[in-house]
Amino acid sequence: MNEIIRVRFAPSPTGYLHIGGVRTALFNWLFARHHKGRFILRIEDTDISRSTDESIKQIIEGLTWLSIDWDEGPFRQTERRDIYIQHIERLLKEGKAYRCYCTPDELEQKRKEALAKGEKPKYDGHCRNLDTLPAGRPWAVRFKTSMEGNTIVEDLLRGKVVFDNKELDDLIILRSDGIPTYNFVVVVDDATMKITHVIRGDDHLSNTPRQVQLYHGLGYQPPRFLHLSMILGSDKTRLSKRHGATSILSYRDMGYLPEAMVNYLVRLGWSYGDQEIFSKEELIEKFSIENIGKSSAVFNPEKLLWLNSHYIKNGDSLYLASHLIPHLLKEGILSENKDSGISIKEIAKVIPSLQERSKTLIEMAKGADFFFDKEIQYDENGAKRFLTPSIIPIFEKLIDMFERSESFDTDSLKRIFTDITEKEGVELGKIAQPVRLALTGKTVSPGIFDVISLLGQDRVIERLKKGIRYIQISLKRDLGSI
RNA sequence: GGCCCCAUCGUCUAGUGGUCUAGGACACCAGCCUCUCACGUUGGAGACACGGGUUCGACUCCCGUUGGGGCUACCA
């Protein structure tokens, strides 16, 4: 094969960009990159009433977030109207299409009747051979479909799929408002954009015979088709809002890393032996149509979460910090104006302590709050349990040792703690939990030596002293209330 | 309803007629590790939808049933 492979992703901007669409985009993109072909982005906005600019913005933002880049486009079908009209006029002139004067109401009426009689609702060809054209009535254009014989769709995944042309009818290619319809524009676009492989969702398979007939009517060679099975929700129905977040950007906002999303999505319908983790470079190298599965897949958020935690665990600190910042801001842990002095390097420094205990960036942001907060709030139950008078001597001893300690690395901190536990004859846990509470306000945090070391001498001593004051104050209050 | 597609653990999947007492991953359960939470680690439970063929032999091939999905618009 030395032809240049050209594929496209052609979403309609009628809602958010969802998981299924992204998977289709990803497969097209990988196919193009693997074969050093071209990946084209085309916005299918012929449904003017439902298409929105906001949706187009989201599509672009979503693909960009995932680093799925395109070589041509984004093209918008509404900007290509002249091309479609030329094609329609040609079909009209060649007698391969005709004007249809039936109104939507009449059609709806006929459909209902057919359904009531238990028949297949098909256009009856009323206007196909009109002798006199009614004047002054609005008209649409229909394609003269061949209703004899079969149309065979050669699908790269499923092999030959045979459709009986009796099932087809004359489809509308130009609406009465002058806007061409999807099944027509998709053919004209794919043909004129020289698309070699149409990789799209399974939901388009049934429309493919109509499109194949259009290719032939227009005198174009059809591309090769590959219909991907759909992604379903946990109840095996079509993925929708009912299944929680389906917009790709909402996963970004929930603290997912783009590489986790890509890795998760690619394994929905594609596999490479037993391998689960793939870098983008590896995917481009290894992706092939042979390893695409035929059955539909159920979207499983747990596995996505696992992959996310994997990429968080293994990510570079600075890289993670750059993705973490928006969440620190959103969670109110950092504020744009107040904390502008904090550098990304400072943020990156605390990340290793959080990597293996964060499944999402939001978790990581929340777990990092005590590094940045000036005043920490004590967890109520934790304080009750661990900030008790008996710990005061230990805190005092620690403060003393910290003040005298020259180095503050985890090794010397460990020595200080071992020293105390041995002298006092207590387990580390008895000391670590109260210290953790005093330093982080929480009962759960990174390793205590990491916390101390990261916080630094001054803040540690200050927070321990604050802990002691807190114990003394609540002691007085308790005595007072007796 | 008609037409089309699909069918291996709960989920994603490996498997292309014998190597399958069916492999991996997520989730789940138990043990170990341990300063909390995690990570890690060891082990466990868990599937070829059903019925007919074809074949010396079917998870693998064919047919049917069942189940799921899609299409059936002047939506895409």
Side-chain angles (χ1 to χ4, degrees):
Chain A
M1 252 207 291
N2 42 16
E3 67 170 337
I4 292 173
I5 281 176
R6 293 173 63 81
V7 294
R8 83 312 194 266
F9 175 53
S12 70
T14 52
Y16 42 55
L17 178 60
H18 56 84
I19 302 288
V22 171
R23 205 235 347 205
T24 303
L26 181 60
F27 278 35
N28 273 285
W29 184 82
L30 286 172
F31 185 67
R33 292 290 170 263
H34 177 82
H35 291 286
K36 306 212 181 331
R38 308 277 286 173
F39 177 66
I40 294 149
L41 177 61
R42 187 173 76 218
I43 307 293
E44 311 241 308
D45 57 351
T46 51
D47 184 351
I48 293 177
S49 59
R50 293 200 301 149
S51 296
T52 63
D53 285 348
E54 173 57 27
S55 182
I56 294 175
K57 221 185 88 195
Q58 280 196 25
I59 288 165
I60 289 171
E61 203 177 332
L63 294 178
T64 305
W65 176 58
L66 295 166
S67 303
I68 297 176
D69 56 342
W70 51 95
D71 306 304
E72 295 171 32
F75 297 108
R76 290 185 62 164
Q77 292 180 323
T78 42
E79 288 164 0
R80 293 166 55 82
R81 188 166 176 276
D82 291 350
I83 300 170
Y84 309 132
I85 298 302
Q86 280 166 25
H87 281 80
I88 285 167
E89 276 169 0
R90 208 174 85 210
L91 287 176
L92 243 18
K93 205 183 313 165
E94 291 169 1
K96 292 172 178 168
Y98 58 92
R99 291 181 180 185
C100 173
Y101 296 86
C102 302
T103 66
D105 284 349
E106 287 165 2
L107 261 16
E108 185 57 31
Q109 188 63 29
K110 281 180 186 170
R111 187 185 2 262
K112 272 186 191 149
E113 281 166 23
L115 243 25
K117 275 190 274 182
E119 286 170 10
K120 186 181 169 66
K122 280 173 53 171
Y123 179 60
D124 60 4
H126 177 77
C127 299
R128 191 171 185 159
N129 299 304
L130 245 37
D131 291 330
T132 50
L133 304 181
R137 284 189 67 168
W139 45 271
V141 175
R142 283 185 191 267
F143 178 70
K144 277 189 190 167
T145 301
S146 161
M147 282 170 249
E148 284 173 11
N150 297 322
T151 299
I152 294 169
V153 175
E154 280 278 1
D155 189 279
L156 258 21
L157 235 199
R158 303 164 203 280
K160 281 185 168 64
V161 184
V162 182
F163 294 87
D164 191 330
N165 290 344
K166 279 202 295 282
E167 298 295 325
L168 273 24
D169 62 2
D170 289 347
L171 80 154
I172 288 183
I173 55 177
L174 184 72
R175 299 184 182 91
S176 50
D177 63 4
I179 297 165
T181 57
Y182 164 75
N183 274 303
F184 181 73
V185 294
V186 73
V187 167
V188 173
D189 281 340
D190 286 338
T192 55
M193 291 180 183
K194 305 223 175 330
I195 300 300
T196 57
H197 300 255
V198 168
I199 303 172
R200 79 226 302 189
D202 206 358
D203 47 342
H204 292 283
L205 182 54
S206 299
N207 283 321
T208 309
R210 297 170 173 287
Q211 293 170 14
V212 168
Q213 285 213 20
L214 281 167
Y215 277 101
H216 293 318
L218 254 12
Y220 290 126
Q221 170 80 26
R224 266 146 295 182
F225 294 102
L226 192 157
H227 289 93
L228 262 13
S229 282
M230 317 213 73
I231 300 175
L232 309 175
S234 52
D235 55 359
K236 300 219 175 190
T237 63
R238 201 183 189 133
L239 209 52
S240 73
K241 307 113 239 145
R242 286 180 297 111
H243 302 99
T246 51
S247 159
I248 194 70
L249 290 175
S250 70
Y251 284 91
R252 176 195 63 187
D253 300 340
M254 289 189 289
Y256 287 83
L257 251 15
E259 48 271 61
M261 199 71 218
V262 165
N263 199 148
Y264 176 71
L265 252 19
V266 79
R267 287 282 291 99
L268 243 37
W270 178 83
S271 60
Y272 191 81
D274 283 341
Q275 190 172 341
E276 295 287 350
I277 306 292
F278 297 88
S279 70
K280 196 156 255 183
E281 294 67 35
E282 228 174 338
L283 285 177
I284 291 171
E285 182 203 322
K286 291 177 170 166
F287 187 81
S288 99
I289 277 177
E290 275 89 82
N291 295 321
I292 297 178
K294 290 196 279 195
S295 48
S296 44
V298 172
F299 180 75
N300 179 215
E302 275 85 33
K303 189 155 183 184
L304 170 61
L305 193 61
W306 171 73
L307 277 162
N308 203 48
S309 65
H310 170 86
Y311 282 101
I312 286 180
K313 220 174 298 164
N314 296 291
D316 167 76
S317 296
L318 272 175
Y319 171 77
L320 291 172
S322 69
H323 280 79
L324 183 66
I325 289 171
H327 294 101
L328 287 171
L329 259 19
K330 210 171 119 200
E331 296 295 324
I333 293 158
L334 291 186
S335 96
E336 206 116 26
N337 28 31
K338 261 203 324 231
D339 298 301
S340 55
I342 294 179
S343 72
I344 188 164
K345 276 192 181 152
E346 282 174 80
I347 295 168
K349 234 165 44 188
V350 308
I351 282 179
S353 74
L354 263 357
Q355 277 177 291
E356 58 191 29
R357 57 196 100 232
S358 312
K359 287 186 194 297
T360 69
L361 294 171
I362 290 184
E363 274 183 38
M364 186 179 258
K366 286 182 174 164
D369 59 358
F370 64 91
F371 286 122
F372 305 110
D373 283 349
K374 306 280 174 292
E375 288 291 320
I376 52 162
Q377 297 295 317
Y378 293 138
D379 169 81
E380 204 176 310
N381 290 329
K384 208 175 284 174
R385 199 162 149 217
F386 297 116
L387 294 186
T388 55
S390 61
I391 202 70
I392 290 179
I394 304 276
F395 276 17
E396 280 169 344
K397 194 166 231 161
L398 277 170
I399 290 167
D400 181 49
M401 292 177 93
F402 287 157
E403 273 170 345
R404 286 189 292 154
S405 178
E406 281 172 20
S407 52
F408 227 58
D409 57 85
T410 50
D411 280 342
S412 32
L413 291 168
K414 255 178 221 170
R415 273 196 299 278
I416 291 174
F417 273 81
T418 315
D419 193 42
I420 293 182
T421 50
E422 275 172 7
K423 274 189 191 140
E424 302 288 327
V426 293
E427 284 170 11
L428 178 56
K430 295 281 182 227
I431 302 178
Q433 276 307 80
V435 172
R436 169 171 287 114
L437 215 288
L439 298 184
T440 70
K442 295 184 278 201
T443 56
V444 171
S445 85
I448 195 67
F449 305 119
D450 287 332
V451 169
I452 296 170
S453 167
L454 251 10
L455 242 23
Q457 205 161 11
D458 295 346
R459 279 194 289 178
V460 167
I461 290 168
E462 178 194 317
R463 288 185 191 187
L464 284 176
K465 285 180 177 166
K466 189 192 158 198
I468 292 173
R469 277 200 304 278
Y470 172 87
I471 296 169
Q472 289 166 339
I473 289 167
S474 34
L475 190 63
K476 265 186 216 154
R477 199 176 42 229
D478 288 352
L479 287 174
S481 69
I482 289 172

